[in-house]
Amino acid sequence: MTLFDFGVFPTQTFHLLAATEGTMWHSLADILILLATAIVLGTLAEQLRQSAILGYIAAGTLVGPNLLGWVADRQSIFDLAELGVALLLFAIGLEFSLPRLKRLGRIPLVAGILQIILTLLGGLSVSLLLSFSFPEALAIGAMIALSSTACVVRMLNDRAELDAPHGRTALGILLVQDMAVIPLMLIITALVGKGSAGEIAIQLSISFLLAVVFVAVFYGLFNFILPRLLELSSLRRNRDFPILLAMVMAAGSAWAAHRLGLSPALGAFVAGVLLAISPFATQIRADVQPLKTVLVTLFFSAVGMFGDLNWAVQHLGLVLAVVAAIITGKLLITFGAAWFCGQPWQFALGTGLCLAQVGEFSFVLATVARGTADAPGILSETTFRLIISSTIATLLLTPYLIQLAPVAANLLRQLWDRQPAENESRSPHVDVTDLESSRETNDDLVLILGFGPAGQRVAGELLQVGLKKIVVVDLNHENLRMAEQYGLRSQLGDATQIEVLEHAGLYRSRLVIMTLPSPTVCRQIIYLVRQMSPATTLYVRCRYHLHHWQLLAAGADVIVDEEEHVGECLAKHILDSPLLLQQLLKSNQKPEAGQSPDQT
């Protein structure tokens, strides 16, 4: 017997409580299963010193419809996870201001166009030799031509190689590939029978005009309207508003690009680049970081769901042959295109290794080319499974290929050095260690977190003794303007967020000075600094003596206790006043009642 049998909890009550039962909760369950499995396998991959991306993809394959079947609706999850790619590109775009984007030069643009054309023609030719029909061969070439923006950018960013020569070229080529998604999609749609050549030309012209409109609108929004919004006092007082605004800008730019028929990821990147010139870029990137992390993880898990492990094992030889052909062909084509455009061969090799995989947008092209049960497309079921399996395999190999770039470039340089000296004039020697990182090596940076009166006094004293490599981090616009008057680099941001500290240069700093009044905020920052840069020295302001030992236990090296300091200063001022001190001493030497002056 239960309480329901006695009528204590009527069943109708629980039907009312379950009124929100719907597909959303089923989708949420699928997402939770994917993320939980991704945490487990991603952690296992990290323990084995592999990329967590491998664990995320393996998680999707494990719980997907082709293995355990715990999560079946892969398409809806993949659609949601595409927003993660857009947020990733938006955050990367915030690092690339327009001047910095111009510094990429013509090499990525020309090399990207050459890489797409040559890879498409190569895939088409090989497929025709293998007796595929022309439409199917063209679809295969289009899918192979694209590389993985999400995987490559994530890996390069984690390895701090995004600004290295091969990283910049790889990013530029990926952006060209993202732009090529639209014409490739239109071509495959026409091959399936849903459009003609004239309609494709019209759609391309409309897409170009809409892209110009998109850039113009967002340029005006981010340069004239947004700065006034972010300077409102209500936004400065309540941290919720800037976070919400950041999410609206990041997701809104992707949605606007999608509605205009453009690539959402490319649209988000362009919006990020346009926003990068504002002082709010670092804080906005930090605000979108949590959702970006969740959705990017979900994206790689959704990619893994497309894999059919049983089919891949049954056709293992065929899959391995296709994977080897794709990696070798794309490596050689990308290397040749980058080298032909003037990039030194060491960096061209690194670029080729970074892009020697098939990208996430190939899943979209493959789905369109496959068609539906009611309206079959140009791609057979066997070819579809082969492309999907090969794509996932290349994505799994991508972290190793990117890690291999410096080693392979060293080996190639050693072989090159054995050639006659006249060959050196064609390809000048470049130190391959530049491939590993392009970060600054000096470690004399001083970070001042908080630039109120205390921070300004500290900066003034440091400037007087010749310390000029100072970066100020503050959320108050007026304080940042004051820092600029001091001639210091300043950054708008919340120092309790890792992204803000990284961008400010924590890894290159020798000293961090915290003048913030809140002990809770100071403890959070101390934990972050100790986690990210243990060797950095921490000087921390302590407003009340009560919190002195808490900050010391958190990891601060030097505590400036305001109450102790005030006491010391007051005592010093008293001791430095001879007249007052003499009067006090005389008053203390007066005889007590019942004593004679001689006894005193």
Side-chain angles (χ1 to χ4, degrees):
M1 299 291 290
T2 64
L3 294 176
F4 293 102
D5 298 322
F6 293 102
V8 177
F9 294 137
T11 307
Q12 294 83 354
T13 302
F14 283 85
H15 285 310
L16 290 174
L17 293 175
T20 57
E21 181 75 19
T23 57
M24 185 272 288
W25 296 106
H26 297 295
S27 300
L28 180 59
D30 291 343
I31 291 172
L32 291 175
I33 292 172
L34 271 177
L35 292 178
T37 311
I39 291 173
V40 174
L41 296 186
T43 303
L44 179 60
E46 290 283 356
Q47 288 292 323
L48 298 175
R49 297 191 177 182
Q50 308 301 321
S51 171
I53 293 176
L54 304 180
Y56 301 155
I57 296 176
T61 303
L62 178 65
V63 302
N66 297 317
L67 204 57
L68 295 179
W70 293 351
V71 181
D73 190 6
R74 61 188 178 192
Q75 191 57 50
S76 61
I77 291 179
F78 186 80
D79 293 339
L80 172 64
E82 275 191 286
L83 180 58
V85 181
L87 291 180
L88 176 63
L89 267 293
F90 179 79
I92 296 299
L94 289 170
E95 292 274 10
F96 279 80
S97 60
L98 287 173
R100 185 179 174 189
L101 197 60
K102 290 178 182 178
R103 287 198 297 271
L104 291 177
R106 64 175 180 84
I107 292 179
L109 177 62
V110 179
I113 295 173
L114 285 176
Q115 183 269 329
I116 292 171
I117 294 175
L118 293 176
T119 308
L120 191 151
L121 292 177
L124 172 65
S125 302
V126 173
S127 300
L128 289 175
L129 290 175
L130 295 175
S131 302
F132 285 91
S133 65
F134 180 81
E136 193 171 15
L138 185 59
I140 292 172
M143 287 181 281
I144 294 175
L146 301 177
S147 300
S148 175
T149 302
C151 191
V152 174
V153 170
R154 170 73 178 271
M155 282 295 300
L156 290 175
N157 198 37
D158 290 346
R159 292 172 57 84
E161 294 178 359
L162 196 56
D163 204 31
H166 70 296
R168 290 196 301 267
T169 305
L171 176 62
I173 293 176
L174 287 170
L175 295 177
V176 174
Q177 290 180 358
D178 286 343
M179 288 188 283
V181 169
I182 300 170
L184 290 177
M185 180 69 73
L186 293 174
I187 291 172
I188 291 181
T189 302
L191 292 175
V192 174
K194 299 180 181 178
S196 62
E199 292 174 343
I200 291 177
I202 294 174
Q203 287 295 328
L204 286 176
S205 301
I206 294 175
S207 297
F208 178 77
L209 291 175
L210 291 176
V212 173
V213 172
F214 176 86
V215 172
V217 170
F218 273 81
Y219 180 84
L221 176 65
F222 290 157
N223 285 274
F224 300 105
I225 298 176
L226 182 64
R228 291 174 173 80
L229 281 177
L230 289 172
E231 288 182 358
L232 293 176
S233 58
S234 57
L235 285 176
R236 289 205 298 261
R237 287 195 303 268
N238 192 328
R239 278 287 296 126
D240 293 346
F241 296 152
I243 293 174
L244 293 174
L245 187 58
M247 293 309 310
V248 168
M249 286 186 292
S253 60
W255 175 83
H258 173 71
R259 289 295 297 169
L260 294 175
L262 307 173
S263 166
L266 183 63
F269 177 81
V270 172
V273 169
L274 294 175
L275 188 58
I277 59 177
S278 75
F280 315 101
T282 301
Q283 185 58 49
I284 291 173
R285 186 175 61 255
D287 288 337
V288 302
Q289 178 69 24
L291 183 60
K292 183 199 78 174
T293 300
V294 172
L295 291 181
V296 168
T297 303
L298 190 62
F299 170 80
F300 287 115
S301 301
V303 165
M305 290 175 62
F306 282 88
D308 188 342
L309 189 60
N310 294 325
W311 188 93
V313 170
Q314 294 172 5
H315 302 82
L316 184 60
L318 179 61
V319 172
L320 291 178
V322 173
V323 169
I326 290 174
I327 291 178
T328 304
K330 293 198 72 172
L331 170 59
L332 293 176
I333 290 173
T334 307
F335 168 78
W339 183 71
F340 176 79
C341 292
Q343 188 177 37
W345 50 263
Q346 293 98 330
F347 301 137
L349 177 63
T351 302
L353 286 167
C354 287
L355 302 180
Q357 80 284 129
V358 184
E360 56 272 358
F361 288 111
S362 299
F363 291 100
V364 181
L365 298 180
T367 304
V368 173
R370 180 193 191 187
T372 61
D374 299 330
I378 58 177
L379 212 61
S380 67
E381 185 65 23
T382 301
T383 306
F384 175 82
R385 289 177 179 270
L386 179 60
I387 291 295
I388 294 299
S389 300
S390 302
T391 298
I392 293 176
T394 60
L395 290 174
L396 290 171
L397 292 173
T398 296
Y400 302 103
L401 294 174
I402 294 177
Q403 292 172 12
L404 185 63
V407 179
N410 256 326
L411 178 62
L412 187 59
R413 185 184 60 162
Q414 292 173 5
L415 295 174
W416 186 269
D417 289 341
R418 296 176 185 175
Q419 301 298 320
E422 59 268 16
N423 288 339
E424 295 181 3
S425 61
R426 182 180 181 96
S427 180
H429 171 73
V430 182
D431 189 1
V432 183
T433 56
D434 289 341
L435 279 169
E436 297 179 356
S437 177
S438 63
R439 294 177 293 183
E440 297 179 41
T441 57
N442 69 77
D443 57 353
D444 296 330
L445 206 63
V446 176
L447 296 187
I448 298 180
L449 309 182
F451 205 67
Q456 294 167 21
R457 180 62 183 269
V458 171
E461 297 291 337
L462 295 180
L463 288 171
Q464 285 186 3
V465 297
L467 293 176
K468 297 182 179 179
K469 295 178 182 178
I470 300 174
V471 178
V472 173
V473 179
D474 204 308
L475 275 170
N476 190 308
H477 300 270
E478 296 177 359
N479 289 345
L480 295 182
R481 280 193 284 268
M482 183 66 69
E484 292 174 359
Q485 293 177 6
Y486 276 74
L488 304 177
R489 286 172 50 196
S490 61
Q491 177 179 301
L492 179 74
D494 182 358
T496 61
Q497 294 177 305
I498 293 178
E499 286 275 334
V500 173
L501 292 176
E502 285 180 341
H503 193 270
L506 176 62
Y507 294 121
R508 294 181 286 108
S509 65
R510 179 168 296 177
L511 173 63
V512 173
I513 302 171
M514 279 186 276
T515 66
L516 304 168
S518 170
T520 303
V521 171
C522 286
R523 283 199 304 271
Q524 293 176 5
I525 298 174
I526 291 170
Y527 292 142
L528 288 178
V529 173
R530 283 289 166 255
Q531 178 185 359
M532 298 164 60
S533 183
T536 301
T537 304
L538 274 167
Y539 279 58
V540 182
R541 167 190 178 184
C542 176
R543 192 169 187 180
Y544 299 108
H545 182 73
L546 174 67
H547 306 295
H548 182 110
W549 298 108
Q550 296 176 1
L551 296 174
L552 200 61
D557 293 299
V558 176
I559 304 292
V560 179
D561 191 322
E562 286 192 21
E563 291 187 322
E564 285 187 357
H565 187 64
V566 168
E568 291 173 358
C569 287
L570 288 174
K572 183 177 182 300
H573 283 297
I574 293 171
L575 296 175
D576 289 342
S577 302
L579 182 60
L580 177 62
L581 184 61
Q582 186 177 11
Q583 292 175 350
L584 291 172
L585 288 173
K586 286 182 178 179
S587 65
N588 277 275
Q589 290 176 355
K590 289 181 179 180
E592 296 180 4
Q595 279 188 317
S596 66
D598 293 336
Q599 290 175 329
T600 304

